[in-house]
Amino acid sequence: MNEIILLKLGELVLKGNNRRIFEDRFMTNVRRRLKPIGDFKVYSVQSTVYVEPQSDCDMDTAVEACAHVFGAVSVCRAAVCPKDENEIVKIAKEYLKDEMNAASTFKVESKRSDKSFHLDSIKLSQFVGGELADAFPHITADMHTPELTVRVEVRDFAAYVHASGIPGAGGMPLGINGKAVCLLSGGIDSPVALHMLAKRGVEPIAVHFQSPPYTSPLALEKVEELAKISCDYTGILELRTVHFTEIQEAIRDNCPEDLFTVIMRRFMMRVADKIAHANGCKAIVTGESLGQVASQTMEAMAATEAACSLPVLRPVICMDKEEIVTIARRIGTFETSIRPFEDCCTVFTPRHPRTRPRMEDVLAAESRLDVEGLTERAFQNVERSVIKL
Ligand code: ATP
Ligand code: MG
């Protein structure tokens, strides 16, 4: 039996030209995502994207891949039928028999975009519904709250039969809302923040700060693995690694201990800002969550973001840890994030970090450092890698 995949697009508020840009980008992302799986024809008709296999391919894998492309609200497999009501019934009986056997109520909904088809949508639904009710006597018709909705679509070249699909990844097609630098530590929060930004159509460039020999190469490996898992939704992810040791040692040697964290975070922002400008990124994304640790008070965040020029976006700012963990589990990053290797935030951690740093104290402490030189050297030594699925 021939099958295709139907992807229903979300964000229906988008109109006119924006809608076309949305669809085109979505289809490009779907094509790229499906390339390693097989040869597919991808095209759109009225807010539905059709994915037609051109040869024998693994449809389970293709459906799963489509469900991870941002922009679709639902993904369903459909059987391709000749445009003949008896053929449609014959295929529906076979194709949907598991769903029909499992449900106790159902209805049929038809759509006829080929107006030359001789039955209108109501008549077609009645016909298919009647035949299915005869074939599966345990199930009754329910027009209002059916457990199963069988959908029949009669289009230009064929008819399609399907049941409800699985949820799509939602959001907006990757790349449609520009690029941002995402600060990726090895923790739980930042991979979730990166995912949420990507879901809004922003292409992320991940930036990780490491401080060898104080941080282990295993910490970097963990971040690379998190980046790889993130690719399950983004397809590809650029990762920049910043050598942060010189900066952290300079802070340790010259600044008051209780300001280490805020000053270190201000340097992260400065370097991230440079990477962002060099790569056409319009924002810096972090996994900060209000009140979670000393550096995530409103005062500390104000001091941190004063060091950079771009907006700082914090997708998980108002989420509880439990909520963040739920997303981390769903996107598959949680188990990797809880591995023990620590990132540079735990290097020279003050015993009593200042939760409400005063700006004049911060600036006085930084005046003992060559801020420009340190930032520029870290920026010049950034390492680049591209992580793929
Ligand atoms: P996470 O779980 O994401 O590590 P966290 O709760 O541990 O966050 P912090 O360590 O204060 O919080 O870090 C806040 C944010 O700063 C992180 O979410 C991340 O965006 C960024 N960040 C922290 N450490 C690093 C690092 N080594 N490399 C890149 N970004 C970092
Ligand atoms: Mg952390």
Side-chain angles (χ1 to χ4, degrees), residues 260-274:
F260 278 8
T261 305
V262 65
I263 294 175
M264 176 196 74
R265 297 196 58 74
R266 281 166 59 80
F267 270 101
M268 282 187 177
M269 289 307 187
R270 290 187 187 101
V271 179
D273 209 50
K274 276 186 185 281

Side-chain angles (χ1 to χ4, degrees), residues 294-344:
S295 61
Q296 293 171 16
T297 62
M298 287 190 276
E299 291 84 348
M301 285 190 285
T304 307
E305 70 182 24
C308 63
S309 67
L310 289 172
V312 179
L313 306 181
R314 302 176 173 92
V316 304
I317 191 72
C318 288
M319 290 168 76
D320 297 344
K321 198 72 185 183
E322 299 310 313
E323 294 171 306
I324 300 172
V325 165
T326 301
I327 299 181
R329 285 190 196 279
R330 182 169 57 75
I331 63 175
T333 52
F334 182 73
E335 294 301 330
T336 304
S337 287
I338 57 173
R339 281 199 224 141
F341 315 111
E342 300 290 357
D343 68 19
C344 64

Side-chain angles (χ1 to χ4, degrees), residues 183-185 187-190 207 209 265 286-287 292 295-296 345:
L183 301 193
L184 188 63
S185 67
I188 297 169
D189 306 333
S190 49
V207 173
F209 294 82
R265 297 196 58 74
T286 76
Q292 205 184 78
S295 61
Q296 293 171 16
C345 289

Side-chain angles (χ1 to χ4, degrees), residues 159-233:
Y160 306 100
V161 171
H162 59 94
S164 310
I166 56 169
M172 304 180 91
L174 195 77
I176 206 167
N177 284 325
K179 294 202 281 184
V181 154
C182 290
L183 301 193
L184 188 63
S185 67
I188 297 169
D189 306 333
S190 49
V192 171
L194 183 147
H195 177 87
M196 290 173 79
L197 241 282
K199 184 177 174 190
R200 292 313 295 169
V202 177
E203 192 181 319
I205 294 184
V207 173
H208 177 68
F209 294 82
Q210 58 166 354
S211 290
Y214 306 105
T215 55
S216 140
L218 294 173
L220 179 61
E221 256 176 46
K222 182 178 164 186
V223 167
E224 284 167 346
E225 195 169 319
L226 288 169
K228 181 136 182 124
I229 297 169
S230 301
C231 286
D232 197 17
Y233 286 85

Side-chain angles (χ1 to χ4, degrees), residues 370-386:
D370 171 18
V371 172
E372 258 311 297
L374 286 165
T375 307
E376 186 58 30
R377 275 196 297 285
F379 173 62
Q380 292 303 334
N381 289 325
V382 166
E383 282 178 48
R384 234 183 119 141
S385 55
V386 177

Side-chain angles (χ1 to χ4, degrees), residues 2-5 30-43 50-59 61-62 66:
N2 279 344
E3 277 190 292
I4 63 163
I5 302 169
V30 170
R31 286 187 194 105
R32 191 176 301 144
R33 192 60 214 268
L34 291 175
K35 212 166 178 183
I37 300 170
D39 187 13
F40 294 86
K41 187 170 157 201
V42 178
Y43 57 94
Y50 290 72
V51 177
E52 272 182 27
Q54 302 297 292
S55 55
D56 234 9
C57 13
D58 179 349
M59 289 295 274
T61 308
C66 288

Side-chain angles (χ1 to χ4, degrees), residues 256 259 262-263 266 299 303 306 354 356-368:
L259 292 176
V262 65
I263 294 175
R266 281 166 59 80
E299 291 84 348
R354 196 87 74 81
R356 294 186 167 69
R358 291 192 332 170
M359 211 51 203
E360 54 265 44
D361 297 341
V362 173
L363 295 175
E366 284 181 356
S367 70
R368 288 175 226 137

